[in-house]
Amino acid sequence: MIDIQYSSEVQAAKSEGRAIVALESTIITHGMPYPQNVEVAAQVEQDIREAGAVPATMAVIEGVLHVGLEPDQLQALGQAKGVAKISRADMPACIATGGTGATTVAATMIAARLAGISVFATGGIGGVHKGAETSFDISADLMELAQTPVTVVAAGAKAILDLPKTLEVLETQGVPVIAYGQDSFPAFWSAQSDLKAPLRMDTPAQIARAHATRQAMGLPGGQLVANPIPADAQIAAEDLAPVIAQAQSEADAQGIAGKDVTPFLLSRIFELTDGRSLTANIALVRNNARLAAKIAQELNKLTR
């Protein structure tokens, strides 16, 4: 039996049948420095409350899966050192050995399923890395979407990835990819890309119905809602392309691989854009949180 600890707020929401939105914790431990990490995490939680739902930030703390963090736990996690970044492969080991780990997209989806939460807001999912045809570097997030019944609201996949190949893998795995309010697949820091989204929906109610219908049909997996970054916060794709190329070239030259690739690239892009990438990242996460809260409320109406 997995030991799950619910925050007082989440426990009350479950008792009252209120809408809940899952949040990951790697943004706290691996995304930005203290105290900005805690400030942003608290702001995203507040965005969800103001949009009518309850936030549930996921983390493993000393072998216990926490669904929702109390304010003091959020502060402690934000200052902790040596926190593991856990995904499907190492999440059970972290719990079994009494470890502390921050949840990635895949691990947060697993935690949400265990807690009976159907909607999750994040920044951008992982995907197929450039050069994957030789490295086979493909994020576990894609396979998690194919098997775990959670609707994930993201600003597409991270722009450092091979977006066409990421969409191909999602299609192969039978994952619905829904662009919110537009036809093109958003590219994380940029609202538009030259890739057409497989599906388009314009209201939270439509997205909620799609989730419920998938469950009613007995189909495994969740769905990806690709929510474009607000126009006033985006960085144009043509401005980002040479920056991403430079960061990727530096990673290759330094032999950086595996789990270290994404943090390195995001750090270098932050430096090369004079911090604009982080400002955009915060804006898109908050935007996704607000949409996820609306979807969770609509889904709650369908399932109550």
Side-chain angles (χ1 to χ4, degrees):
M1 181 68 74
I2 301 299
D3 188 4
I4 300 178
Q5 180 70 50
Y6 295 96
S7 69
S8 55
E9 184 181 22
V10 172
Q11 186 65 63
K14 287 181 71 68
S15 299
E16 297 162 10
R18 296 176 60 200
I20 303 172
V21 174
L23 295 168
E24 63 169 276
S25 49
T26 51
I27 191 173
I28 302 167
T29 58
H30 295 76
M32 55 193 79
Y34 180 83
Q36 186 183 29
N37 55 352
V38 173
E39 292 167 358
V40 171
Q43 180 63 69
V44 172
E45 289 191 343
Q46 187 59 28
D47 288 332
I48 288 172
R49 294 185 190 102
E50 290 176 2
V54 172
T57 299
M58 308 295 187
V60 175
I61 302 174
E62 297 180 350
V64 177
L65 174 59
H66 284 257
V67 176
L69 298 176
E70 305 295 352
D72 61 325
Q73 293 172 328
L74 188 60
Q75 282 283 344
L77 190 65
Q79 298 175 71
K81 305 296 182 186
V83 177
K85 183 178 179 181
I86 56 174
S87 189
R88 168 173 278 262
D90 43 15
M91 187 179 187
C94 183
I95 293 171
T97 58
T100 294
T103 57
T104 58
V105 168
T108 304
M109 291 182 71
I110 293 168
R113 176 182 59 78
L114 290 170
I117 298 170
S118 298
V119 182
F120 162 36
T122 186
I125 63 163
V128 180
H129 281 263
K130 292 175 180 177
E133 59 272 18
T134 54
S135 70
F136 287 88
D137 191 351
I138 301 173
S139 171
D141 296 352
L142 304 186
M143 305 307 153
E144 205 60 53
L145 276 159
Q147 59 189 311
T148 300
V150 175
T151 287
V152 178
V153 182
K158 293 183 177 73
I160 56 177
L161 302 167
D162 188 322
L163 297 185
K165 286 189 176 69
T166 297
L167 284 174
E168 285 291 346
V169 171
L170 288 167
E171 180 185 20
T172 299
Q173 295 296 324
V175 176
V177 177
I178 304 162
Y180 182 64
Q182 65 181 40
D183 294 319
S184 96
F185 183 67
F188 197 58
W189 293 302
S190 308
Q192 304 284 334
S193 75
D194 57 3
L195 299 168
K196 188 177 188 301
L199 297 165
R200 170 180 174 164
M201 292 184 187
D202 296 328
T203 68
Q206 289 176 332
I207 295 167
R209 284 198 298 273
H211 178 106
T213 301
R214 190 171 179 84
Q215 296 303 296
M217 293 175 68
L219 294 172
Q223 52 185 16
L224 174 63
V225 178
N227 184 32
I229 183 174
D232 60 355
Q234 71 173 327
I235 305 174
E238 55 267 27
D239 294 338
L240 275 171
V243 172
I244 294 171
Q246 180 180 336
Q248 184 68 61
S249 177
E250 291 174 9
D252 294 341
Q254 296 177 41
I256 294 167
K259 280 188 175 183
D260 296 328
V261 172
T262 296
F264 175 85
L265 293 178
L266 294 178
S267 176
R268 280 301 286 139
I269 292 166
F270 170 81
E271 293 164 0
L272 294 168
T273 61
D274 296 321
R276 285 181 68 205
S277 64
L278 181 57
T279 302
N281 204 358
I282 294 168
L284 65 85
V285 171
R286 294 185 63 188
N287 190 47
N288 295 342
R290 291 186 287 263
L291 176 58
K294 294 174 186 174
I295 296 168
Q297 289 172 83
E298 292 294 340
L299 189 57
N300 214 26
K301 293 175 187 175
L302 293 173
T303 55
R304 281 168 71 174

